[in-house]
Amino acid sequence: MSDTLYSGHRYRVLNVIDEGTREAMDISIATSLPAGRVVRVLDAFVAEHGKPRRIRVDNGSEMTSTAFVEWCERHKIQIVYIQPGKPNQNAYIERLNRSFRHEVLDANLFRTLSEVREIAWAWQISYN
């Protein structure tokens, strides 16, 4: 996901959900989320929660990159790509993203990334 601070600076949001429990596992917020950053987020996630057997993702450049694919291969994690234009194949994260957009991003005017992170953290606890 992406949005803009009050100053006009863009930022990105990476939401991670457990499809089994539908729990929001992580919300990462940064000015950009290239594949290297996604891999670092996933390393921290695996260290805290353990390794998933598979990851369902869209076909965004950070999810089809060599860094991400190699990371998954190294950790023996299956990548399940949804078909382009078929967000219903990833319905749980789409619902989480819609709720996050409506209840956090559209409901607030943020000046800093710290503010976004603080509100996102509180929202994640409430969501779960």
Side-chain angles (χ1 to χ4, degrees), residues 15-34:
N15 292 322
V16 178
I17 191 168
D18 181 317
E19 286 187 355
T21 64
R22 297 188 186 114
E23 179 181 0
M25 302 297 290
D26 189 44
I27 300 174
S28 295
I29 298 160
T31 54
S32 67
L33 286 167

Side-chain angles (χ1 to χ4, degrees), residues 1-126:
M1 301 181 70
S2 65
D3 205 8
T4 308
L5 296 173
Y6 182 71
S7 64
H9 289 92
R10 293 183 59 79
Y11 63 92
R12 301 283 312 271
V13 178
L14 174 66
N15 292 322
V16 178
I17 191 168
D18 181 317
E19 286 187 355
T21 64
R22 297 188 186 114
E23 179 181 0
M25 302 297 290
D26 189 44
I27 300 174
S28 295
I29 298 160
T31 54
S32 67
L33 286 167
R37 173 85 182 214
V38 170
V39 166
R40 287 191 302 277
V41 167
L42 291 173
D43 277 334
F45 177 85
V46 167
E48 184 175 343
H49 300 286
K51 180 181 76 164
R53 286 182 281 162
R54 69 182 67 76
I55 298 177
R56 183 181 319 275
V57 296
D58 63 18
N59 293 281
S61 59
E62 62 276 352
M63 302 302 179
T64 57
S65 71
T66 302
F68 176 74
V69 171
E70 288 178 351
W71 182 88
C72 288
E73 288 173 355
R74 240 185 352 267
H75 289 86
K76 295 180 178 40
I77 298 172
Q78 177 189 7
I79 304 171
V80 179
Y81 289 106
I82 65 168
Q83 292 174 293
K86 302 276 187 173
N88 58 324
Q89 293 178 349
N90 207 3
Y92 297 132
I93 194 67
E94 292 298 328
R95 182 186 183 285
L96 173 82
N97 287 346
R98 183 184 72 233
S99 297
F100 186 76
R101 165 77 56 200
H102 177 72
E103 298 171 15
V104 176
L105 301 180
D106 291 348
N108 296 282
L109 194 56
F110 297 108
R111 289 177 287 155
T112 66
L113 289 180
S114 296
E115 288 178 354
V116 183
R117 289 181 186 116
E118 183 179 327
I119 298 296
W121 178 79
W123 180 86
Q124 180 181 352
I125 290 170
S126 173

